[in-house]
Amino acid sequence: MTQSVNGAAAPRAQQPSLPFWQVWNVSLGFLGVQFGFSLQNANASRILSDLGADLHSLSLFWIVAPLMGLIVQPIVGSASDRTWSRFGRRNPYILFGAIAAALGMAFMPNAGIVVALVAPILFGGVMLALMDAAFNVTMQPFRALVADMVPSEQRTLGYSIQSLLINIGAIFGSMLPFILTNVIGLENTARAGEVAPSVIWAFYIGATVLLGSVLWTVVRTKEYPPEQYNAYKGLDAEQLQKEREQKGTLLQRLGGFFRLMLSMPRTMRQLALVQFFSWFALFIMWVYTTPAITQHVWGVEAKWFDPAYLETVNEIPTYIAAAKGAAGDWVGIIFAAYSLFAALFSIVLARVAQLLGRRLTYSLSLALGGLGYIGFLLFQGGEPTEVNLLITQVSVPSGALGLLLPMIGVGIAWAAILAMPYAILSDTLPADKTGVYMGIFNFTIAAPQIVSALVAGLILKSVFDNQAIYIIVLAGVSMLLGAVSVFFVRETVESETELRAGTTA
């Protein structure tokens, strides 16, 4: 197969297969990135609620996450496509993003200490934005790094390993506040305007793991030099150099970027519909699982999430604070559970996709996730039940224990979402535009989350009367629609001429 940036044929050298552990090293940093993401996903709503956010506005705070992805990933993707340095092509961006994310993780849970300078809820929101921007700076080059370093025949393996490592990080990141409370003995309740000590220390540890794992990937992964990379991808080095020298005006570069968007491969456009329904549902889960199970399983009334009501009481009753703390910790457990199930499914995902085909595997996985969300309704309250988690023993309502069952389906869906779109997409992208197209593909992740952020809180308040369990059911319906939409995706590789006609228009 040949490829050139100007339509002429260029010889392509055979890219060597990588040993298993080198494929592993390429993606290891994702473990730390997802460790941090999972701490954020399981605890940001808890932190923001403790700092004074009301229930239906939580999704508006969370809008910074997809917005940062929407802005940052295409810029970083395009920049890393054009970067060649002695430190590598993607590695400098990966390391810089990790350092900035670690700083955000250290500062966000300490918002209460700056009350004399700025409102804690405002500071917390700013730190959430910083973390998300930095996570995206790190995340996008990681996706492109796999496409750069791993040959086509190993791509499904590469993204499956990536999915496995993401979920290992997610398991420990999600469980960490629970472990710090129930094993180490740190306090898990918070006074008004402050964050629980167990959450603060979890974020410190998460920042350390993030930096350590990213450093491992950066040090152990030697990116191909330009000449070797161009030979493996069949790129015309002279033409590439001319393109890099033609900087153009900002307006011209924006025009080129939007032409790339309009000429995106057909498969990417078809996957966008699947991504919309999938990520609309995931966003709801991350934002509203904590209040949903606090209300539905622990029996805490919605008024205890209303800042206006809280201002009318002198102090939050001890049993309410304890229930909210216990529910918040249990969210970490069930999030760790779905990550564990996702990690286990990731091990066999490539094999299942070979047997059933990528599309059917993807669709069935999303369907199980949708049924899992809807299944939350079945588990309400119940008698206190002793649960042995090996590291400790706790007492939770029986309904909380039952939530582990629907998390099997959620975990299978999550594993597929992390791997299958990229496995389907990667072979359809021109090699010299992989980074920017992966960034553009992030639009299909960010846009549904922005829509969810804008409408989910309104739906929760106006339609469901702040009963958060029903917004989780809505997430299930959305995931089922995603499962159906997979069958509209066609795994056809467009010709190089087609792709080039669009990117050079």
Side-chain angles (χ1 to χ4, degrees):
M1 186 176 179
T2 61
Q3 183 179 37
S4 125
V5 295
N6 60 4
R12 171 175 293 190
Q14 178 64 42
Q15 184 172 352
S17 295
L18 299 180
F20 174 85
W21 289 112
Q22 186 55 45
V23 179
W24 178 278
N25 288 338
V26 168
S27 292
L28 185 68
F30 255 112
L31 184 150
V33 175
Q34 192 61 37
F35 196 105
F37 254 134
S38 296
L39 276 170
Q40 173 186 295
N41 290 342
N43 294 282
S45 289
R46 179 180 181 179
I47 291 171
L48 293 169
S49 292
D50 288 340
L51 295 176
D54 57 46
L55 193 60
H56 63 271
S57 68
L58 281 178
S59 62
L60 297 178
F61 281 97
W62 276 79
I63 201 172
V64 298
L67 276 177
M68 290 299 103
L70 198 64
I71 295 168
V72 171
Q73 288 212 19
I75 295 173
V76 173
S78 179
S80 67
D81 279 342
R82 301 169 69 88
T83 297
W84 292 103
S85 73
R86 64 190 183 96
F87 300 107
R89 189 186 193 196
R90 316 290 183 185
N91 281 341
Y93 296 92
I94 292 170
L95 183 58
F96 172 79
I99 293 171
L103 290 174
M105 291 182 70
F107 286 125
M108 182 183 176
N110 288 296
I113 67 176
V114 299
V115 65
L117 302 175
V118 64
I121 187 63
L122 177 60
F123 184 82
V126 170
M127 288 301 101
L128 180 62
L130 171 63
M131 276 196 303
D132 276 306
F135 281 141
N136 279 287
V137 170
T138 302
M139 184 80 73
Q140 197 287 329
F142 256 127
R143 297 286 191 197
L145 185 65
V146 174
D148 287 352
M149 300 298 298
V150 180
S152 178
E153 63 271 14
Q154 289 185 300
R155 292 275 171 80
T156 300
L157 171 65
Y159 285 115
S160 295
I161 290 174
Q162 191 176 96
S163 179
L164 173 64
L165 289 168
I166 283 173
N167 286 297
I168 291 173
I171 290 166
F172 291 102
S174 298
M175 289 182 64
L176 190 55
F178 178 91
I179 293 171
L180 293 177
T181 295
N182 293 280
V183 178
I184 306 300
L186 295 182
E187 185 63 49
N188 72 340
T189 58
R191 291 181 291 182
E194 296 183 4
V195 176
S198 61
V199 176
I200 294 174
W201 278 99
F203 272 64
Y204 291 161
I205 295 170
T208 304
V209 172
L210 169 62
L211 279 177
S213 63
V214 165
L215 280 170
W216 179 276
T217 286
V218 170
V219 171
R220 299 300 294 265
T221 302
K222 181 176 175 57
E223 296 186 72
Y224 295 123
E227 300 79 11
Q228 199 172 6
Y229 178 84
N230 292 338
Y232 290 152
K233 305 301 181 182
L235 299 175
D236 186 323
E238 292 183 4
Q239 183 65 24
L240 282 171
Q241 185 60 35
K242 289 179 182 178
E243 284 191 356
R244 293 191 185 103
E245 292 172 354
Q246 295 173 353
K247 292 185 176 179
T249 65
L250 177 61
L251 189 60
Q252 288 173 328
R253 281 180 283 173
L254 285 174
F257 175 75
F258 284 111
R259 281 194 295 274
L260 279 174
M261 286 190 64
L262 292 174
S263 64
M264 69 175 66
R266 188 178 301 111
T267 301
M268 185 186 288
R269 293 196 297 269
Q270 293 165 344
L271 281 169
L273 183 63
V274 186
Q275 292 281 88
F276 180 87
F277 291 123
S278 303
W279 287 92
F280 185 92
L282 288 169
F283 186 85
I284 288 174
M285 177 185 72
W286 292 326
V287 176
Y288 288 114
T289 296
T290 296
I293 74 167
T294 304
Q295 295 172 0
H296 194 65
V297 179
W298 267 264
V300 175
E301 295 177 88
K303 66 183 181 182
W304 293 107
F305 291 89
D306 183 358
Y309 176 78
L310 294 178
E311 288 179 0
T312 67
V313 299
N314 294 326
E315 187 176 354
I316 298 175
T318 303
Y319 74 95
I320 294 293
K324 293 176 76 173
D329 284 348
W330 194 252
V331 168
I333 293 298
I334 63 174
F335 276 21
Y338 89 70
S339 298
L340 173 61
F341 298 135
L344 294 174
F345 185 61
S346 296
I347 296 171
V348 300
L349 178 57
R351 180 60 177 162
V352 173
Q354 286 178 346
L355 292 174
L356 301 181
R358 288 169 170 173
R359 286 196 308 162
L360 183 56
T361 300
Y362 193 10
S363 180
L364 290 175
S365 299
L366 295 182
L368 290 172
L371 294 174
Y373 287 137
I374 295 171
F376 271 48
L377 271 176
L378 302 176
F379 304 99
Q380 182 175 15
E383 295 297 319
T385 304
E386 292 295 321
V387 182
N388 187 344
L389 296 173
L390 300 181
I391 55 174
T392 189
Q393 187 163 316
V394 295
S395 177
V396 296
S398 59
L401 184 60
L403 286 174
L404 294 173
L405 183 61
M407 283 297 156
I408 297 174
V410 174
I412 290 172
W414 177 235
I417 290 168
L418 291 176
M420 297 311 298
Y422 299 97
I424 293 171
L425 181 65
S426 59
D427 287 336
T428 72
L429 301 179
D432 62 309
K433 296 288 191 296
T434 297
V436 68
Y437 267 126
M438 285 293 190
I440 290 172
F441 191 58
N442 189 63
F443 278 49
T444 69
I445 296 174
Q449 292 183 77
I450 292 171
V451 173
S452 186
L454 293 173
V455 304
L458 182 62
I459 293 171
L460 177 63
K461 183 178 182 181
S462 303
V463 179
F464 299 137
D465 193 27
N466 283 333
Q467 299 302 311
I469 189 64
Y470 297 111
I471 204 77
I472 300 295
V473 174
L474 178 64
V477 173
S478 180
M479 193 71 85
L480 289 175
L481 291 174
V484 173
S485 63
V486 171
F487 292 104
F488 294 98
V489 177
R490 295 291 177 266
E491 296 184 69
T492 54
V493 179
E494 295 175 53
S495 70
E496 306 294 344
T497 304
E498 280 185 282
L499 290 170
R500 292 294 158 202
T503 59
T504 60

